[in-house]
Amino acid sequence: MILEVDFGSEEPIYRQIRTQIVHGVATGELQPGDALPSVRVLAGNLGVNMHTVNKAYAVLRDEGYVAMLGRSGAYIADAARPASPARAREQEAQIVSDLRRLAIEYRARGGSFDDFVALATMQAKSVFTSKKGDDSK
Amino acid sequence: MSWILFSMVLSIVVLGGLLAATPWLMPPTECFTITVPPSAQHDARVVKLKWSYALCVAAVSIACAAGLSWALISVGNNNPTEEQLVFLTSAITETTLIPIGASFILMLRSRSQVKVLKEQEGWTTPTRRSATLIGNDFPGPLPLAWNLLYIPLVLGMIAFALLSYDRFPDQIPINADFSGNVNNYADKSLGSVLFPAMFAAFMGLVFTFTHWMTAISKKPIDPAAPATSALAYGRFARIQSLLMLIGGLTLSSVVGITFYLSALQMLSLEASAAIITVVALVWVGIVIVFSALTGQSGGRLAAQLRTTDEVVADDDEHWVLGTFYFNPQDPSLIVPKRFGVGWTINHARIRAWLLIGAFLAFTIGFSIFITWAIA
């Protein structure tokens, strides 16, 4: 899969890397057991600091998407394998709060309930039905 | 004029041709080491700059080739004196270095003009992005394990040398002058008989090291065309690593076979030298042809496949004089060259300097070792 970072974006680079790898896992472009490049290789190819990639991998590991073996081996972890039950509840709560925030923002701009649900359904459909190789966001 | 010398003249012409063609071999977003949108490559002023660079480099190279021919003819066929040999050696060195120096100076001149055009035309990019491919579907250089092929080659040469030890004469010819008269012999010893095996082992290590450097190189992905630029670079790296592997194995084998044949007096030293020179030149010719076909980092293929004129990455500030990559933020040790076909180091990394130092120390160490082993 293609991983791209935008140095002009307000989103920190480690978050950009993290989000795209999660996207790759969601669409099946990255399968459990797939090797990720070592920290040095990924940092070199992207032209970013090694600490940035280290941080992205650490976040992915804590979220349960990536398993780290040794100093440089990073692999996509088994699906639905949260680091701990507490962690899983935390992730669920995070998603619920994100959805709530989006709904509030949509309503504040004068959007209707039906339109919000339609938009959410459309996005969910595009994510849950996209296959390996489909990079639409 | 011995035709080995003629081939030296030919190699200066070929080198000059590659240097002159360089502006057309670079990736579509690079023009005289400056980042530009691909459409700028067809701007009339840029095209003019490329042609004037190419014609100047070609003229200098042809002048150097002519100068070397004149030097060789003036020395003539007869046994050259010590003085004439010094003259020939310096003529060969100078006529090789002058086109390289001219290309560098002319590149710098064109570079500053492209910089001005870039300012005037607003070819700058507001965004800074970078991209890479992850997963295993990434083309790249051949696996390093292919270099294990040197092991049977070296072992075969050792076995042959030991089994035929009694058949070698007491004096093994190792050097001849320009006209083919043997002027240096080595006494038969394990060291001198095993020379080809040591040479093949040395070549194996040097070529494996070079291959490894290409394997750890930064993969230059164009964020505006990530998949096609990755494909183009991958094909380029694969072809270059394949050519290095074939070249290293062939040269080691040919040096070994001709050494044994001339030691066993089945082949004259001059014929051996001629065969080695031809093989080396043919190999260099093949490398140059493939470099011209693919372009630097697969630039020519990348140019064909690129569909947009967008530029989203610009790292010009890290290229000192367009030639020396200096980026302390980039952990890469090896990066593709900015002007020319091949790779260079990230000069901001001490580890990269250590790699080059280790390589030089190994090469010099081997030369001293081989002189000691043969004597």
Side-chain angles (χ1 to χ4, degrees):
Chain A
M1 66 170 272
I2 294 158
L3 198 151
E4 191 182 280
V5 297
D6 184 346
F7 296 103
S9 165
E10 280 181 14
E11 191 183 8
I13 291 168
Y14 86 92
R15 289 298 301 178
Q16 297 183 31
I17 296 172
R18 177 257 168 208
T19 308
Q20 288 176 74
I21 288 176
V22 172
H23 183 261
V25 172
T27 57
E29 274 184 284
L30 294 174
Q31 295 284 340
D34 279 358
L36 291 175
S38 74
V39 171
R40 171 175 287 279
V41 167
L42 186 57
N45 285 338
L46 286 174
V48 302
N49 203 295
M50 293 199 348
H51 296 303
T52 308
V53 176
N54 251 327
K55 197 165 172 187
Y57 279 9
V59 170
L60 285 163
R61 181 198 58 210
D62 291 348
E63 291 176 336
Y65 294 110
V66 161
M68 302 289 283
L69 296 180
R71 262 177 72 227
S72 60
Y75 298 86
I76 299 297
D78 287 323
R81 194 216 64 170
S84 68
R87 183 79 217 171
R89 279 195 298 276
E90 206 177 292
Q91 283 171 351
E92 191 78 23
Q94 179 68 43
I95 301 262
V96 170
S97 113
D98 282 352
L99 278 171
R100 185 174 174 81
R101 181 177 54 77
L102 291 172
I104 290 169
E105 281 176 23
Y106 196 76
R107 190 180 175 189
R109 292 196 201 121
S112 75
F113 172 82
D114 287 342
D115 286 350
F116 181 78
V117 171
L119 278 177
T121 309
M122 204 167 79
Q123 286 304 313
K125 266 186 185 156
S126 102
V127 168
F128 284 99
T129 55
S130 68
K131 291 191 187 73
K132 198 170 181 171
D134 178 0
D135 199 35
S136 60
K137 286 181 187 170
Chain B
M1 179 171 65
S2 153
W3 65 279
I4 292 181
L5 297 171
F6 165 74
S7 62
M8 285 174 183
V9 175
L10 186 69
S11 56
I12 289 173
V13 174
V14 172
L15 170 75
L18 182 69
L19 289 171
T22 304
W24 288 275
L25 302 181
M26 304 314 291
T29 53
E30 288 169 29
C31 181
F32 290 111
T33 78
I34 300 293
T35 303
V36 296
S39 59
Q41 305 280 5
H42 309 294
D43 182 286
R45 292 158 297 180
V46 168
V47 171
K48 206 177 146 199
L49 277 178
K50 286 187 193 176
W51 275 105
S52 72
Y53 162 89
L55 292 175
C56 287
V57 170
V60 170
S61 308
I62 288 168
C64 283
L68 183 61
S69 313
W70 172 81
L72 296 175
I73 290 166
S74 74
V75 168
N77 235 347
N78 304 323
N79 281 343
T81 62
E82 194 77 9
E83 233 169 68
Q84 283 173 320
L85 278 182
V86 173
F87 169 69
L88 274 186
T89 315
S90 76
I92 290 166
T93 319
E94 281 159 25
T95 50
T96 313
L97 291 180
I98 289 173
I100 296 173
S103 146
F104 179 64
I105 292 164
L106 290 162
M107 178 277 284
L108 285 182
R109 202 196 59 168
S110 316
R111 176 173 181 263
S112 61
Q113 281 163 317
V114 174
K115 245 185 188 168
V116 172
L117 280 175
K118 183 177 175 174
E119 285 280 306
Q120 283 173 1
E121 299 293 320
W123 287 338
T124 47
T125 163
T127 57
R128 288 286 168 92
R129 289 191 285 164
S130 83
T132 187
L133 288 192
I134 55 178
N136 295 330
D137 41 4
F138 199 140
L142 285 182
L144 281 171
W146 278 96
N147 291 288
L148 294 174
L149 285 173
Y150 282 100
I151 292 175
L153 182 67
V154 171
L155 291 180
M157 285 179 181
I158 293 176
F160 178 81
L162 296 181
L163 292 175
S164 346
Y165 190 75
D166 294 338
R167 291 169 58 201
F168 289 111
D170 290 338
Q171 296 267 300
I172 296 175
I174 54 167
N175 198 24
D177 60 23
F178 278 98
S179 33
N181 303 310
V182 176
N183 59 9
N184 198 1
Y185 290 89
D187 290 335
K188 176 169 145 180
S189 69
L190 264 187
S192 56
V193 166
L194 285 177
F195 167 76
M198 290 187 280
F199 179 76
F202 170 73
M203 292 284 274
L205 290 169
V206 166
F207 277 82
T208 307
F209 181 76
T210 323
H211 188 163
W212 173 74
M213 295 218 292
T214 66
I216 64 161
S217 162
K218 182 191 190 81
K219 313 249 174 341
I221 305 293
D222 179 354
T228 52
S229 62
L231 178 72
Y233 176 78
R235 272 186 50 170
F236 164 77
R238 176 146 299 215
I239 289 172
Q240 291 286 327
S241 62
L242 184 66
L243 291 173
M244 279 188 270
L245 181 75
I246 293 173
L249 287 169
T250 310
L251 283 174
S252 316
S253 316
V254 168
V255 166
I257 291 166
T258 55
F259 179 92
Y260 287 130
L261 287 178
S262 69
L264 294 169
Q265 276 138 9
M266 293 155 84
L267 190 72
S268 78
L269 209 52
E270 195 186 21
S272 303
I275 292 170
I276 293 168
T277 312
V278 169
V279 171
L281 277 177
V282 166
W283 176 62
V284 170
I286 291 173
V287 171
I288 288 179
V289 165
F290 273 98
S291 300
L293 286 175
T294 59
Q296 164 69 339
S297 298
R300 292 194 48 201
L301 179 63
Q304 285 165 24
L305 296 176
R306 212 172 194 278
T307 47
T308 65
D309 196 35
E310 202 190 358
V311 206
V312 292
D314 185 335
D315 58 349
D316 292 359
E317 63 197 289
H318 300 306
W319 285 92
V320 180
L321 296 177
T323 308
F324 306 102
Y325 186 63
F326 192 94
N327 185 358
Q329 295 303 313
D330 187 344
S332 305
L333 301 180
I334 308 290
V335 294
K337 272 189 195 170
R338 192 70 153 190
F339 194 73
V341 179
W343 286 266
T344 183
I345 60 168
N346 180 358
H347 295 78
R349 294 263 142 209
I350 292 177
R351 285 164 61 128
W353 287 99
L354 290 178
L355 275 184
I356 300 300
F359 184 74
L360 284 178
F362 173 68
T363 313
I364 295 167
F366 177 80
S367 316
I368 295 170
F369 169 74
I370 207 86
T371 320
W372 168 80
I374 287 182

